[in-house]
Every structure is written in structure tokens, then in C-alpha cells.
Amino acid sequence: MKIHNFSAGPCILPQEVLLKSSEAVMDFNNSGLSLLEISHRSKPFVDVMENARSLALELLGLEGKGYKALFLQGGASTQFLMVALNLLEKRAGYLNTGTWSNNAIKEARIYDDVYEVASSKEAGYNYIPKGYSIPEDYDYFHCTSNNTIFGTQMKSFPDSPIPMVCDMSSDIFSRQLDFTKFDLIYAGAQKNMGPAGTTLVVIKEDILGKVSRKIPSVMDYKVHIDKSSMFNTPPVFAVYVSMLTLEWLKNLGGIPAIEKVNEMKARVIYSEIDLNPLFKGYSVKEDRSNMNATFNLVNDDLKETFDTMLKEAGISGLNGHRSVGGYRASMYNALPLDSVKALVEVMSELETKA
Ligand SMILES: Cc1ncc(COP(=O)(O)O)c(C=O)c1O
């Protein structure tokens, strides 16, 4: 039976990427050696790293604009710390849109002062705050483009008078944005880019070198840039699979092409949530995420029936995050429209049955 994988991350990857990566594990580029047993300093792997770095910049439209791409380790959670270590001198402004923003704020506070420019905490993070101002004398402004857990997404970004840092872990490469608005973007690979194990950091070089503290080498963006993202042994498999996924996206027509599919998938699921009286959406309509649709059953007594029907239809990974419950359909780039249609079919079947 075909499994429809709505997992929130790690999550579905393109079949052809899985196939090519499994081949590379057995025999990388007909070398007779596995990708996993060659030196990361060997030319074949250095080429992989360079290709992955330049594809990331190309797809985001940031080539030749003073940006560098790095594939680092430690997940997006390590970036919460690295951003502050490298950029925070006195005070930074953070937009609090949920669990991940909170975690970023908590880590930055270890180093210096953090001010929440706005928060949607009082409403259980079901919307994106708007109309806030960003103080000009702060070191940087930090936001989270897509709130994976609560299912909200920033549809527009402020014109920040100070460097803008964005955690794009759960919607990078999914929609067209003017990426030059951002001075630092980071994203764990395990949603729209590849397997867990590497984090993409795209950084405008000229924002670095402005803090007075000593930064440990492995935490220093400048060190990673100077070493072409090879300061220490990189996560070779995760970088390789990310490179393949970026190639897959480029061959599809890049971000403009995938954005159309993503918009279609979101339209299909949200119209069912709105039309079917058995379900209600979690987030306010204008801020709904095209990546993670969060919803609940109006009557929890139907949960067992609905869960059984989902299982029978091969729908997997639909449980809401452990902190909020309910359901969450994660519809990352590699999830086909057909999977969303299969889910919607089960939802409307439940209506007929109930
Ligand atoms: C928006 C966002 N930021 C940060 C993280 C944490 O990422 P990691 O587990 O790679 O540290 C996640 C994980 O799901 C996320 O969705």
C-alpha cells in the first residue's frame, strides 16, 4: 500500500533522491567505494559540498550578492546559540511566534539582552503579530518564518532597519521571497532539503566581525566561511542528500515551480477544513501555514474512528506536535498533491459516516 507521509520532519524526500543516495552508499559515482568511506577532503566530496553550497545560493537568488552558504551541524537549535554568539553585542529584538522562537530567545539571553518586539503567546500562538516596530539601535532582529508546531507562517516580512535573521527551518525553498531582505537565514535540512544531520546557514558576510567577545572556533561563522564549510568533518551523507534534493528542485523549475504546487496543496486541505463541519483549523486564516496545516476534530469522540480510517488509507505522520495535540498535515516540497487529496477524501468520508 502507498503510504502518504505527512511527517513534520524528518519527513518525506523525493523518491529519486532516496534512490540515488542509497546507490551512493553502496558505490559512489562508480568509484567502487561508498560515499560513507571516502575522505571528506577528497575531490569527489569537496565537489559535492561546493555544488550544494552554490545550488542553495542559486535557488534563493543570492549568488554574487555577498552571501555565503554553509552546511553546519548541531541542528537549527545550535543556530539559536551561534546567531547570538556572532551577532549579539548589546541587545537584539525577537519576534515571538511560538516554541521555536521561544527557544531561540532563551539561548540568546545567555549572552545578552533580548527584547520581544511582539508575541502571540496570549492567543496560543495562533497568529503572527503585525504592526510592531524594530528599534534601530539593536544589533539584529530575529524571526521564524514558519511556525512548524502551531501552523502559522509569516506572509510578509518587515523592512528591518537592522540586520534581519530568520529561522526558515520549515519553509525554506518552498516559496518565492526577496531573500536579499535577510542577512542571515538558517534551516535544519530535515524538512525541505534532506535528512537530519546538517543545517543550512546563508549569511551576508559583512554583518560579521562586529562583536567584542571571543567566539569558540566551531561556533564562529567566519571560521566556517574561511574554511569553505569544511572546518571539521562535515556530515557527508546529509550534505550529499541535500545536494541531490536541491538538484531535484532546480530540475523541477526551482522555487517558483514548487511554490505553485505548495499553494495548491494548501488550498485543497484548508478548503476541506473550512467546509467540513467535523473539523476546525487551529490558526487564524490569514496566517495559515502552507507547510503545516493544524486542525482539530470538533468532537473528540470521533478520534478513534478517524485515526482508524487514516491508518487504513495509508496516511501517516498526522498527529499534532506532542505539546498541542490535534492533527498536523505537514506538506513539505516532496509531498505530492495526491497525498493531500487522499487525506481530504478520508476527512469527507468521515463526514458521510458520522
Ligand atoms: C522552525 C524550527 N526551528 C527550529 C527547529 C529545531 O531544529 P533542530 O531539531 O534541527 O535543532 C525546528 C524543528 O522542527 C523548527 O521547526
Side-chain angles (χ1 to χ4, degrees):
M1 176 172 55
K2 180 173 166 47
I3 299 292
H4 301 283
N5 184 1
F6 286 89
S7 178
C11 61
I12 185 164
L13 287 171
Q15 276 299 311
E16 66 182 71
V17 167
L18 292 180
L19 193 67
K20 272 194 204 163
S21 9
S22 60
E23 281 165 13
V25 169
M26 294 316 296
D27 183 1
F28 180 49
N29 287 352
N30 298 319
S31 62
L33 292 169
S34 164
L35 167 74
L36 307 183
E37 54 184 8
I38 59 169
S39 165
H40 61 290
R41 305 274 173 210
S42 64
K43 174 140 179 19
F45 186 75
V46 171
D47 287 350
V48 168
M49 179 60 97
E50 281 315 300
N51 194 16
R53 294 177 74 203
S54 69
L55 273 168
L57 293 182
E58 184 188 336
L59 287 161
L60 297 173
L62 292 177
E63 264 181 330
K65 293 186 176 155
Y67 290 83
K68 288 284 177 349
L70 303 171
F71 283 88
L72 304 182
Q73 300 185 57
S77 301
T78 300
Q79 292 312 306
F80 300 159
L81 200 69
M82 274 180 87
V83 163
L85 265 171
N86 283 264
L87 304 179
L88 182 51
E89 182 73 2
K90 285 201 189 95
R91 208 166 199 217
Y94 277 63
L95 181 65
N96 186 357
T97 52
T99 310
W100 300 115
S101 318
N102 257 305
N103 290 356
I105 291 167
K106 190 172 140 228
E107 297 301 299
R109 283 208 168 118
I110 296 174
Y111 295 100
D112 250 305
D113 200 7
V114 166
Y115 172 74
E116 281 187 29
V117 299
S119 167
S120 50
K121 188 173 179 188
E122 86 292 346
Y125 298 113
N126 72 348
Y127 74 101
I128 300 284
K130 293 162 200 91
Y132 49 87
S133 55
I134 301 171
E136 282 178 27
D137 56 344
Y138 284 10
D139 300 314
Y140 63 90
F141 165 68
H142 179 285
C143 55
T144 311
S145 56
N146 185 71
N147 182 352
T148 327
I149 294 177
F150 299 92
T152 57
Q153 187 173 35
M154 294 176 77
K155 302 296 171 183
S156 63
F157 291 84
D159 291 315
S160 175
I162 51 176
M164 181 151 67
V165 176
C166 188
D167 174 359
M168 289 196 191
S169 290
S170 50
D171 68 352
I172 189 135
F173 301 119
S174 72
R175 57 174 169 162
Q176 299 185 80
L177 290 174
D178 176 4
F179 292 99
T180 61
K181 277 188 109 163
F182 304 93
D183 297 271
L184 195 156
I185 295 166
Y186 61 90
Q190 66 271 20
K191 298 169 202 305
N192 269 336
M193 202 171 54
T198 191
T199 307
L200 173 66
V201 176
V202 173
I203 185 164
K204 200 158 188 201
E205 240 184 316
D206 63 11
I207 64 167
L208 297 175
K210 298 190 177 152
V211 290
S212 50
R213 75 172 59 82
K214 276 203 155 139
I215 307 172
S217 306
V218 76
M219 291 281 150
D220 190 338
Y221 292 126
K222 186 86 181 62
V223 168
H224 288 286
I225 290 172
D226 289 347
K227 300 285 181 188
S228 305
S229 204
M230 289 275 208
F231 166 66
N232 61 333
T233 315
V236 291
F237 185 68
V239 174
Y240 180 69
V241 182
S242 298
M243 183 204 81
L244 292 179
T245 312
L246 296 178
E247 275 178 348
W248 166 83
L249 180 57
K250 185 179 166 177
N251 292 336
L252 273 184
I255 295 179
I258 205 74
E259 181 181 39
K260 282 202 188 102
V261 184
N262 288 334
E263 281 173 350
M264 176 72 81
K265 290 185 287 189
R267 263 201 302 278
V268 170
I269 182 87
Y270 286 121
S271 11
E272 180 64 21
I273 290 170
D274 290 340
L275 288 172
N276 189 325
L278 300 186
F279 295 96
K280 58 177 189 296
Y282 181 79
S283 52
V284 303
K285 285 189 185 173
E286 65 177 14
D287 298 327
R288 280 173 164 174
S289 165
N290 283 3
M291 295 283 100
N292 313 96
T294 45
F295 56 98
N296 294 77
L297 277 164
V298 173
N299 176 358
D300 265 338
D301 292 348
L302 290 174
K303 182 169 165 40
E304 215 180 303
T305 315
F306 185 48
D307 288 353
T308 307
M309 288 166 69
L310 290 171
K311 205 167 173 203
E312 280 167 9
I315 289 169
S316 129
L318 206 71
N319 281 346
H321 188 266
R322 59 190 182 281
S323 61
V324 294
Y327 295 94
R328 169 173 55 172
S330 296
M331 305 173 291
Y332 299 118
N333 284 354
L335 184 87
L337 176 60
D338 278 352
S339 290
V340 182
K341 287 184 175 160
L343 168 60
V344 162
E345 215 166 281
V346 176
M347 292 166 81
S348 63
E349 229 177 273
L350 183 71
E351 191 189 354
T352 324
K353 261 195 183 176

